[in-house]
Each structure stands twice: as structure tokens, then as C-alpha cells.
Amino acid sequence: MAPVQDAGAWRLPVADGDGSRFRPGLSILTLGYSALDTVELAALARPLLEDIANRFKAAASLSTREGTSMLYLQRCEAGDAYLRLNVRVGSEVPIISSGTGWAYLAGLPAAQRKQVMQECRKADPALYRNAEKPALAAIADFGRDGYVTNVDTFFPGLTTVSIPLAMEPVPYVLICTSASSVFAPTAVREEAGQALIAAAKQLRPIVERLAAD
């Protein structure tokens, strides 16, 4: 599996103090209004993500696509979360092997999904061979459940529940990751999925407003 990577500083909002507020880093200003919109969305999403993280002893996050990876824009961890994966704002995970990537793929039209998966295969053929089957199964389950689940597939001991928040003009995904023991009951995974769906309903009007500005 490709390692979690840190994104370059030019992509990142800068945390103030304890990380409860964000401001754009100096170089992010060169990216224009779309980058500033992302910073605003990450800040506005934080209270919702904190609530979800606390409910499920989890980390709750907002991500977007960056090449053949998913880039974390916001991440909130519960004080009692039991996580063995060092992911933070600016980290990247591969689309093809991560729950957040699978939710992104699930939100795409079929033709675009096929194109992105071909890009993932070209970027890392070995990883793609291992990940294609579980990724396609998770995408199929999204049509039934309304959320995507990744149980122990590439991050042993961790389960991720995720949903696509928006695909246009910028793709965003909401993620909740906790110990697999927490998410072992189907009812708890369903509860987490519904919590993400409820958060998405609150955030989509913000995404639409930012896109229209």
C-alpha cells in the first residue's frame, strides 16, 4: 500500500492555536477564490465533524481529490479515539484503497469513475490489483446503503464510513474512522452513515453558495 503522504504547504489552511480556527497560508492566496472557499468550508465543517467524532470515538474528516489520492482538508479526533493511523490535515491516502477514495468514486458518474480508476491503475498497478475488487464491492453497496464502508481492508483494526458530499465544482467527501471494534455492529455503522448524511445536508448549501460566489 502506498504510504500516507503529507501534502505540500501550498495546499493547506493554517491552524491557529489549538486548531479550532483556520486562516489561509501565505502561498494558498495565490490559488484564488476557489482555494479560499475550501478554507471556509473546512472551518464551517469543523463543529459537525467534532460532534460525529465524539459520538463514535472516532476521527471525522473532510477530504477532496488530489491526483490519484484524497487530500485531508479538515480532521477532528475524539479525545477517546483509538486510532493507529497518523493522518492529519494535509495528509493524502490513495483513492483506490481508502474509504474516502471509495466514497469519491461512488459519487461519480460511471464513465468518469472508470476514467479515474484507470488513472489509479496506471499510477500504482500493484496497489490497484489488490484494491479493485473491494473498491467495486463498496461502490455497489453505496447504492443500497447510502454510504461506503471500508472494514480492515487496508488499515487493519480500523473501519471507515464515508459519503460523497459534493462532486461539482470541487469534489468533497465526509469520513468517519474508528476502531473496527466500535463499528463492528451493523447498527453502529448505519448510525454513523446517517450522521454523515445529516452533516452533508447542512454543508451542501454552503458548497453551493461558495460555488456561486
Side-chain angles (χ1 to χ4, degrees), residues 193-213:
Q194 293 304 314
L196 292 171
I197 290 169
K201 288 180 179 178
Q202 295 186 61
L203 292 172
R204 283 194 185 106
I206 297 171
V207 173
E208 293 169 0
R209 175 180 62 80
L210 294 173
D213 287 347

PDB file of all heavy atoms in Angstrom, residues 193-213:
ATOM      1  N   GLY A 193     -23.271   6.354   9.265  1.00  0.00           N
ATOM      2  CA  GLY A 193     -23.629   6.762   7.907  1.00  0.00           C
ATOM      3  C   GLY A 193     -24.708   7.817   7.900  1.00  0.00           C
ATOM      4  O   GLY A 193     -24.622   8.815   7.162  1.00  0.00           O
ATOM      5  N   GLN A 194     -25.728   7.629   8.731  1.00  0.00           N
ATOM      6  CA  GLN A 194     -26.808   8.621   8.796  1.00  0.00           C
ATOM      7  C   GLN A 194     -26.326   9.947   9.377  1.00  0.00           C
ATOM      8  O   GLN A 194     -26.792  11.016   8.981  1.00  0.00           O
ATOM      9  CB  GLN A 194     -27.973   8.061   9.618  1.00  0.00           C
ATOM     10  CG  GLN A 194     -28.689   6.884   8.966  1.00  0.00           C
ATOM     11  CD  GLN A 194     -29.194   7.212   7.574  1.00  0.00           C
ATOM     12  OE1 GLN A 194     -29.801   8.274   7.351  1.00  0.00           O
ATOM     13  NE2 GLN A 194     -28.969   6.307   6.644  1.00  0.00           N
ATOM     14  N   ALA A 195     -25.385   9.881  10.322  1.00  0.00           N
ATOM     15  CA  ALA A 195     -24.822  11.120  10.873  1.00  0.00           C
ATOM     16  C   ALA A 195     -24.068  11.898   9.800  1.00  0.00           C
ATOM     17  O   ALA A 195     -24.153  13.129   9.719  1.00  0.00           O
ATOM     18  CB  ALA A 195     -23.894  10.795  12.045  1.00  0.00           C
ATOM     19  N   LEU A 196     -23.323  11.193   8.944  1.00  0.00           N
ATOM     20  CA  LEU A 196     -22.614  11.854   7.845  1.00  0.00           C
ATOM     21  C   LEU A 196     -23.590  12.422   6.827  1.00  0.00           C
ATOM     22  O   LEU A 196     -23.391  13.529   6.306  1.00  0.00           O
ATOM     23  CB  LEU A 196     -21.663  10.858   7.166  1.00  0.00           C
ATOM     24  CG  LEU A 196     -20.462  10.393   7.986  1.00  0.00           C
ATOM     25  CD1 LEU A 196     -19.741   9.259   7.264  1.00  0.00           C
ATOM     26  CD2 LEU A 196     -19.499  11.548   8.258  1.00  0.00           C
ATOM     27  N   ILE A 197     -24.646  11.683   6.539  1.00  0.00           N
ATOM     28  CA  ILE A 197     -25.657  12.164   5.593  1.00  0.00           C
ATOM     29  C   ILE A 197     -26.314  13.433   6.126  1.00  0.00           C
ATOM     30  O   ILE A 197     -26.549  14.394   5.384  1.00  0.00           O
ATOM     31  CB  ILE A 197     -26.699  11.064   5.321  1.00  0.00           C
ATOM     32  CG1 ILE A 197     -26.052   9.931   4.503  1.00  0.00           C
ATOM     33  CG2 ILE A 197     -27.919  11.615   4.600  1.00  0.00           C
ATOM     34  CD1 ILE A 197     -26.906   8.677   4.408  1.00  0.00           C
ATOM     35  N   ALA A 198     -26.615  13.460   7.426  1.00  0.00           N
ATOM     36  CA  ALA A 198     -27.213  14.651   8.032  1.00  0.00           C
ATOM     37  C   ALA A 198     -26.261  15.839   7.959  1.00  0.00           C
ATOM     38  O   ALA A 198     -26.665  16.980   7.677  1.00  0.00           O
ATOM     39  CB  ALA A 198     -27.609  14.366   9.479  1.00  0.00           C
ATOM     40  N   ALA A 199     -24.965  15.594   8.210  1.00  0.00           N
ATOM     41  CA  ALA A 199     -23.965  16.666   8.107  1.00  0.00           C
ATOM     42  C   ALA A 199     -23.871  17.175   6.680  1.00  0.00           C
ATOM     43  O   ALA A 199     -23.751  18.386   6.439  1.00  0.00           O
ATOM     44  CB  ALA A 199     -22.607  16.163   8.593  1.00  0.00           C
ATOM     45  N   ALA A 200     -23.936  16.256   5.728  1.00  0.00           N
ATOM     46  CA  ALA A 200     -23.857  16.653   4.319  1.00  0.00           C
ATOM     47  C   ALA A 200     -25.025  17.554   3.930  1.00  0.00           C
ATOM     48  O   ALA A 200     -24.854  18.509   3.168  1.00  0.00           O
ATOM     49  CB  ALA A 200     -23.826  15.413   3.433  1.00  0.00           C
ATOM     50  N   LYS A 201     -26.199  17.261   4.460  1.00  0.00           N
ATOM     51  CA  LYS A 201     -27.369  18.093   4.155  1.00  0.00           C
ATOM     52  C   LYS A 201     -27.162  19.530   4.641  1.00  0.00           C
ATOM     53  O   LYS A 201     -27.635  20.476   4.018  1.00  0.00           O
ATOM     54  CB  LYS A 201     -28.621  17.487   4.788  1.00  0.00           C
ATOM     55  CG  LYS A 201     -29.105  16.224   4.097  1.00  0.00           C
ATOM     56  CD  LYS A 201     -30.355  15.676   4.766  1.00  0.00           C
ATOM     57  CE  LYS A 201     -30.841  14.419   4.048  1.00  0.00           C
ATOM     58  NZ  LYS A 201     -32.042  13.826   4.708  1.00  0.00           N
ATOM     59  N   GLN A 202     -26.461  19.684   5.757  1.00  0.00           N
ATOM     60  CA  GLN A 202     -26.191  21.028   6.265  1.00  0.00           C
ATOM     61  C   GLN A 202     -25.085  21.732   5.482  1.00  0.00           C
ATOM     62  O   GLN A 202     -25.094  22.956   5.341  1.00  0.00           O
ATOM     63  CB  GLN A 202     -25.799  20.949   7.745  1.00  0.00           C
ATOM     64  CG  GLN A 202     -26.910  20.448   8.647  1.00  0.00           C
ATOM     65  CD  GLN A 202     -26.527  20.522  10.110  1.00  0.00           C
ATOM     66  OE1 GLN A 202     -26.255  21.601  10.649  1.00  0.00           O
ATOM     67  NE2 GLN A 202     -26.501  19.380  10.777  1.00  0.00           N
ATOM     68  N   LEU A 203     -24.140  20.951   4.964  1.00  0.00           N
ATOM     69  CA  LEU A 203     -22.983  21.546   4.294  1.00  0.00           C
ATOM     70  C   LEU A 203     -23.205  21.798   2.807  1.00  0.00           C
ATOM     71  O   LEU A 203     -22.566  22.686   2.237  1.00  0.00           O
ATOM     72  CB  LEU A 203     -21.759  20.646   4.474  1.00  0.00           C
ATOM     73  CG  LEU A 203     -21.211  20.561   5.898  1.00  0.00           C
ATOM     74  CD1 LEU A 203     -20.121  19.499   5.987  1.00  0.00           C
ATOM     75  CD2 LEU A 203     -20.671  21.917   6.351  1.00  0.00           C
ATOM     76  N   ARG A 204     -24.091  21.056   2.166  1.00  0.00           N
ATOM     77  CA  ARG A 204     -24.273  21.228   0.717  1.00  0.00           C
ATOM     78  C   ARG A 204     -24.711  22.633   0.339  1.00  0.00           C
ATOM     79  O   ARG A 204     -24.217  23.179  -0.657  1.00  0.00           O
ATOM     80  CB  ARG A 204     -25.251  20.183   0.174  1.00  0.00           C
ATOM     81  CG  ARG A 204     -24.617  18.810   0.014  1.00  0.00           C
ATOM     82  CD  ARG A 204     -25.449  17.857  -0.822  1.00  0.00           C
ATOM     83  NE  ARG A 204     -24.828  16.538  -0.832  1.00  0.00           N
ATOM     84  CZ  ARG A 204     -25.286  15.493  -0.150  1.00  0.00           C
ATOM     85  NH1 ARG A 204     -26.369  15.625   0.603  1.00  0.00           N
ATOM     86  NH2 ARG A 204     -24.663  14.335  -0.211  1.00  0.00           N
ATOM     87  N   PRO A 205     -25.634  23.260   1.080  1.00  0.00           N
ATOM     88  CA  PRO A 205     -25.965  24.648   0.724  1.00  0.00           C
ATOM     89  C   PRO A 205     -24.768  25.586   0.810  1.00  0.00           C
ATOM     90  O   PRO A 205     -24.669  26.543   0.033  1.00  0.00           O
ATOM     91  CB  PRO A 205     -27.045  25.026   1.755  1.00  0.00           C
ATOM     92  CG  PRO A 205     -27.639  23.725   2.170  1.00  0.00           C
ATOM     93  CD  PRO A 205     -26.501  22.756   2.151  1.00  0.00           C
ATOM     94  N   ILE A 206     -23.849  25.303   1.730  1.00  0.00           N
ATOM     95  CA  ILE A 206     -22.633  26.114   1.837  1.00  0.00           C
ATOM     96  C   ILE A 206     -21.752  25.896   0.615  1.00  0.00           C
ATOM     97  O   ILE A 206     -21.221  26.845   0.033  1.00  0.00           O
ATOM     98  CB  ILE A 206     -21.870  25.769   3.134  1.00  0.00           C
ATOM     99  CG1 ILE A 206     -22.730  26.104   4.360  1.00  0.00           C
ATOM    100  CG2 ILE A 206     -20.544  26.509   3.183  1.00  0.00           C
ATOM    101  CD1 ILE A 206     -22.159  25.600   5.666  1.00  0.00           C
ATOM    102  N   VAL A 207     -21.607  24.632   0.195  1.00  0.00           N
ATOM    103  CA  VAL A 207     -20.827  24.338  -1.005  1.00  0.00           C
ATOM    104  C   VAL A 207     -21.431  25.047  -2.212  1.00  0.00           C
ATOM    105  O   VAL A 207     -20.721  25.642  -3.030  1.00  0.00           O
ATOM    106  CB  VAL A 207     -20.780  22.811  -1.254  1.00  0.00           C
ATOM    107  CG1 VAL A 207     -20.103  22.503  -2.596  1.00  0.00           C
ATOM    108  CG2 VAL A 207     -20.038  22.109  -0.127  1.00  0.00           C
ATOM    109  N   GLU A 208     -22.747  25.010  -2.323  1.00  0.00           N
ATOM    110  CA  GLU A 208     -23.425  25.651  -3.456  1.00  0.00           C
ATOM    111  C   GLU A 208     -23.254  27.170  -3.411  1.00  0.00           C
ATOM    112  O   GLU A 208     -23.035  27.817  -4.432  1.00  0.00           O
ATOM    113  CB  GLU A 208     -24.906  25.285  -3.451  1.00  0.00           C
ATOM    114  CG  GLU A 208     -25.147  23.799  -3.743  1.00  0.00           C
ATOM    115  CD  GLU A 208     -26.578  23.379  -3.490  1.00  0.00           C
ATOM    116  OE1 GLU A 208     -27.393  24.246  -3.080  1.00  0.00           O
ATOM    117  OE2 GLU A 208     -26.895  22.188  -3.684  1.00  0.00           O
ATOM    118  N   ARG A 209     -23.334  27.736  -2.211  1.00  0.00           N
ATOM    119  CA  ARG A 209     -23.140  29.196  -2.091  1.00  0.00           C
ATOM    120  C   ARG A 209     -21.725  29.589  -2.469  1.00  0.00           C
ATOM    121  O   ARG A 209     -21.527  30.576  -3.198  1.00  0.00           O
ATOM    122  CB  ARG A 209     -23.446  29.631  -0.664  1.00  0.00           C
ATOM    123  CG  ARG A 209     -23.150  31.116  -0.417  1.00  0.00           C
ATOM    124  CD  ARG A 209     -23.445  31.539   1.007  1.00  0.00           C
ATOM    125  NE  ARG A 209     -22.637  30.852   1.975  1.00  0.00           N
ATOM    126  CZ  ARG A 209     -21.367  31.169   2.270  1.00  0.00           C
ATOM    127  NH1 ARG A 209     -20.745  32.123   1.589  1.00  0.00           N
ATOM    128  NH2 ARG A 209     -20.712  30.510   3.202  1.00  0.00           N
ATOM    129  N   LEU A 210     -20.755  28.833  -1.978  1.00  0.00           N
ATOM    130  CA  LEU A 210     -19.362  29.151  -2.291  1.00  0.00           C
ATOM    131  C   LEU A 210     -19.106  29.018  -3.787  1.00  0.00           C
ATOM    132  O   LEU A 210     -18.355  29.801  -4.363  1.00  0.00           O
ATOM    133  CB  LEU A 210     -18.430  28.231  -1.505  1.00  0.00           C
ATOM    134  CG  LEU A 210     -18.439  28.420   0.020  1.00  0.00           C
ATOM    135  CD1 LEU A 210     -17.598  27.337   0.681  1.00  0.00           C
ATOM    136  CD2 LEU A 210     -17.931  29.795   0.403  1.00  0.00           C
ATOM    137  N   ALA A 211     -19.727  28.022  -4.410  1.00  0.00           N
ATOM    138  CA  ALA A 211     -19.529  27.832  -5.848  1.00  0.00           C
ATOM    139  C   ALA A 211     -20.137  28.975  -6.653  1.00  0.00           C
ATOM    140  O   ALA A 211     -19.641  29.337  -7.728  1.00  0.00           O
ATOM    141  CB  ALA A 211     -20.132  26.503  -6.280  1.00  0.00           C
ATOM    142  N   ALA A 212     -21.232  29.554  -6.131  1.00  0.00           N
ATOM    143  CA  ALA A 212     -21.923  30.602  -6.850  1.00  0.00           C
ATOM    144  C   ALA A 212     -21.279  31.972  -6.669  1.00  0.00           C
ATOM    145  O   ALA A 212     -21.484  32.867  -7.487  1.00  0.00           O
ATOM    146  CB  ALA A 212     -23.387  30.668  -6.406  1.00  0.00           C
ATOM    147  N   ASP A 213     -20.489  32.155  -5.615  1.00  0.00           N
ATOM    148  CA  ASP A 213     -19.864  33.469  -5.329  1.00  0.00           C
ATOM    149  C   ASP A 213     -18.811  33.807  -6.382  1.00  0.00           C
ATOM    150  O   ASP A 213     -18.129  32.940  -6.890  1.00  0.00           O
ATOM    151  CB  ASP A 213     -19.218  33.449  -3.947  1.00  0.00           C
ATOM    152  CG  ASP A 213     -20.289  33.483  -2.850  1.00  0.00           C
ATOM    153  OD1 ASP A 213     -21.463  33.770  -3.155  1.00  0.00           O
ATOM    154  OD2 ASP A 213     -19.943  33.194  -1.680  1.00  0.00           O
TER     155      ASP A 213
END
